[in-house]
Amino acid sequence: MKLFILIASVVLLSNTAAKSQITRAELTATGLTCSMCSKATYKQLTSIPEVKEVVPDLNTTAFMIYFKEGSAINVSELKKKVEDAGFSVGELVVVFNFNNQQAVNNSSFKKNNITYTFMDTKPGVLSGEVKVKILDKGFVVDKEYKKLAKLTKQYPSYATVSNNSYHIKTL
Amino acid sequence: MKKLFSAVFVFFTLGAFSQELFVFTEPASNMPAKSFGFRNMNAFMFEKDDKLNYHNMPEIMWGINKKWMVHAQGFISNRQEGGFEAEGGSLYAKYRFFSEDAIKNHFRMAVYGRYSLNRADIHQQELETMGHNTGYEAGLIATQLLHKVAISSSLSYERALDNNPGYKFPTTESNSAMNYTLSVGKLMLPKVYTNFKQTNVNLMLELLGQRLNENGKSYLDLAPSIQFIINSQARVDIGYRQQLYSTMKRTAPNGFILKFEYTFFNVFK
């Protein structure tokens, strides 16, 4: 019986882990208009091993990015590739699949060794597919970053920029 | 500073033209990191006695990372007695040191340097390390993209050396010059994007000037061009360069440019 519970909980846990992954992302690149620039960005994004498909919108310079099932993407990889193409990330919205996740400002959760801290978010419990916006430096336009940087008293961890810790806002 | 720059540019280019992959100059932006490009420039320049000077300049380009790119170029022409001949080559590097991006808008600044070798005869007062003189050039470029319009300007110092082994640079002539350029470009087509395969059409207008440091002689050229970007990957440029004025001796200032370019994305890991 104990063994059964153990197996059951392992299965359940792994299910939860699989569900909590980032399934897709919507990235808006800045600093470009022409289709050659979009293509350079598109080519960079498709070279990421975790990426299954990229659907570009050339008029808005936005890219819908779908990830491979079971993959663990670090959003810093998306930023690096856009910058390698010669441009910047203006907005990055990722879709999380949550399972009763408490959302309280300044509280964090960890997925695949990456810490996500809620910021500027309405408190609540999150379940299913939820769009969250990455608020850290390099993932928002400069103007917005300057605004957010004024909130560091309220969100002390926002001052630290790291490749395994991000601040998110539910949309 | 940026606003002042933009204001000055807009002032000079009221109602003018393009995007920033200019035909006669380089923008402050770089090609994508880890990509490789091939370019072939053909210049058909008219000499005064109805002779046609043909220059062929094949070029390879490599985006090392987001800040650095390098070019290597060869110079072939029909100017010499023996006919079509390889005359020299050059290495070019560009470093983008400033970049500010916003939605459909950017401002960039870069510095660049070129070192060229050439063994052709020295036949004019104009200094040109691209295909005529052995020497070097170092400069600064600033480029502003405003939605469908791009404006770019550059200032450079150019120094000519002896065209070894056969031709010493004449001691009576100015062996250094300042170059200045102003380029504007506009994306004309497509009006609305549907996919990467649509051909993009850009119109460009460039002003290219030089002033010789030692005797103050100068020229200014106007160079309009049309550019087709095919499959978001290949470029065909057709340009014409027309001298507006010159107080220095130039062999063949006016003529057509035909340029092909192809970019291979993500070639290097």
Side-chain angles (χ1 to χ4, degrees):
Chain A
M1 189 60 193
K2 271 184 183 169
L3 185 70
F4 174 75
I5 292 172
L6 186 71
I7 292 169
S9 42
V10 165
V11 168
L12 209 66
L13 270 176
S14 56
N15 261 346
T16 319
K19 269 190 176 172
S20 61
Q21 270 164 357
I22 296 174
T23 53
R24 61 178 200 273
E26 298 165 26
L27 187 153
T28 305
T30 57
L32 67 157
T33 41
C34 77
S35 69
M36 201 171 185
C37 309
S38 288
K39 188 156 185 177
T41 312
Y42 169 83
K43 287 278 186 181
Q44 289 281 350
L45 290 171
T46 51
S47 74
I48 301 172
E50 290 88 354
V51 167
K52 188 169 78 179
E53 195 192 356
V54 179
V55 180
D57 182 332
L58 303 181
N59 294 302
T60 57
T61 65
F63 300 84
M64 187 72 90
I65 305 160
Y66 297 91
F67 301 105
K68 287 176 188 158
E69 222 170 292
S71 66
I73 185 75
N74 186 330
V75 292
S76 70
E77 189 65 13
L78 302 177
K79 175 171 167 279
K80 186 184 177 291
K81 291 296 182 181
V82 172
E83 289 175 357
D84 275 351
F87 310 103
S88 304
V89 175
E91 184 179 81
L92 181 63
V93 172
V94 298
V95 178
F96 267 103
N97 213 332
F98 285 118
N99 189 4
N100 289 326
Q101 174 65 52
Q102 281 281 343
V104 180
N105 280 331
N106 275 319
S107 76
S108 304
F109 65 93
K110 231 175 171 174
K111 293 280 182 261
N112 302 312
N113 290 322
I114 297 165
T115 307
Y116 298 92
T117 305
F118 288 102
M119 186 170 163
D120 204 12
T121 290
K122 260 191 221 153
V125 178
L126 308 174
S127 265
E129 286 208 334
V130 177
K131 284 185 177 184
V132 307
K133 186 175 162 171
I134 309 282
L135 301 180
D136 292 271
K137 187 175 169 52
F139 293 93
V140 292
V141 292
D142 284 351
K143 222 174 167 183
E144 192 176 355
Y145 173 71
K146 277 175 195 157
K147 259 189 210 166
L148 289 164
K150 287 178 187 155
L151 303 176
T152 43
K153 260 190 192 161
Q154 224 175 315
Y155 303 98
S157 62
Y158 188 68
T160 327
V161 177
S162 152
N163 276 354
N164 49 29
S165 171
Y166 301 104
H167 295 78
I168 57 172
K169 176 188 179 164
T170 57
L171 297 180
Chain B
M1 187 63 190
K2 186 187 133 189
K3 278 189 181 141
L4 178 73
F5 247 111
S6 317
V8 169
F9 285 163
V10 170
F11 175 76
F12 276 115
T13 58
L14 281 174
F17 300 93
S18 174
Q19 290 283 90
E20 67 179 55
L21 303 163
F22 297 109
V23 177
F24 292 88
T25 62
E26 283 284 323
S29 307
N30 282 353
M31 66 193 296
K34 301 177 188 85
S35 57
F36 176 85
F38 174 77
R39 184 188 275 171
N40 193 3
M41 167 144 124
N42 299 276
F44 305 89
M45 309 306 282
F46 307 113
E47 230 178 286
K48 286 188 184 78
D49 49 5
D50 284 343
K51 211 181 126 195
L52 186 74
N53 284 356
Y54 171 62
H55 291 263
N56 181 263
M57 304 183 184
E59 190 171 3
I60 53 172
M61 303 174 290
W62 172 33
I64 300 173
N65 54 43
K66 63 181 180 182
K67 294 197 162 163
W68 280 99
M69 68 180 285
V70 289
H71 296 196
Q73 191 174 21
F75 305 127
I76 304 160
S77 98
N78 69 348
R79 280 201 63 261
Q80 303 309 305
E81 295 285 314
F84 211 53
E85 216 175 296
E87 295 176 333
S90 84
L91 287 174
Y92 171 96
K94 182 166 66 180
Y95 175 70
R96 190 188 83 186
F97 66 89
F98 182 85
S99 181
E100 198 172 82
D101 290 344
I103 305 276
K104 296 190 176 185
N105 174 332
H106 69 227
F107 179 71
R108 273 108 192 249
M109 289 177 87
V111 285
Y112 73 94
R114 172 187 288 114
Y115 186 80
S116 301
L117 290 173
N118 205 303
R119 60 193 181 100
D121 65 314
I122 296 169
H123 51 90
Q124 59 181 3
Q125 286 181 308
E126 176 190 351
L127 302 186
E128 178 55 276
T129 49
M130 256 180 83
H132 293 271
N133 295 93
T134 291
Y136 56 87
E137 183 178 352
L140 177 75
I141 317 167
T143 303
Q144 172 81 58
L145 174 76
L146 299 160
H147 199 188
K148 291 188 174 183
V149 177
I151 305 155
S152 188
S153 188
S154 75
L155 184 68
S156 73
Y157 173 82
E158 193 165 16
R159 170 79 154 84
L161 304 166
D162 295 336
N163 280 12
N164 286 326
Y167 303 96
K168 288 244 174 272
F169 192 89
T171 50
T172 50
E173 298 297 338
S174 175
N175 62 6
S176 72
M178 294 305 292
N179 298 308
Y180 46 93
T181 70
L182 179 67
S183 307
V184 281
K186 187 171 184 184
L187 174 67
M188 305 304 288
L189 290 171
K191 293 281 178 220
V192 178
Y193 282 116
T194 54
N195 59 58
F196 285 132
K197 296 208 184 300
Q198 284 170 299
T199 298
N200 286 208
V201 180
N202 292 316
L203 283 182
M204 295 168 180
L205 191 65
E206 301 181 70
L207 280 168
L208 314 160
Q210 180 174 83
R211 183 183 179 276
L212 296 171
N213 291 334
E214 276 154 51
N215 53 31
K217 290 183 175 177
S218 64
Y219 75 75
L220 186 65
D221 292 351
L222 185 69
S225 48
I226 184 164
Q227 176 178 71
F228 302 92
I229 295 179
I230 299 150
N231 198 23
S232 304
Q233 202 153 3
R235 243 174 85 177
V236 178
D237 302 341
I238 303 162
Y240 182 75
R241 185 169 179 157
Q242 173 64 49
Q243 176 176 292
L244 294 179
Y245 85 86
S246 176
T247 57
M248 69 176 84
K249 185 178 178 257
R250 305 172 79 193
T251 311
N254 304 332
F256 285 98
I257 296 277
L258 183 61
K259 210 159 140 182
F260 303 98
E261 185 173 325
Y262 195 87
T263 306
F264 299 88
F265 295 106
N266 298 330
V267 172
F268 304 96
K269 288 286 158 196

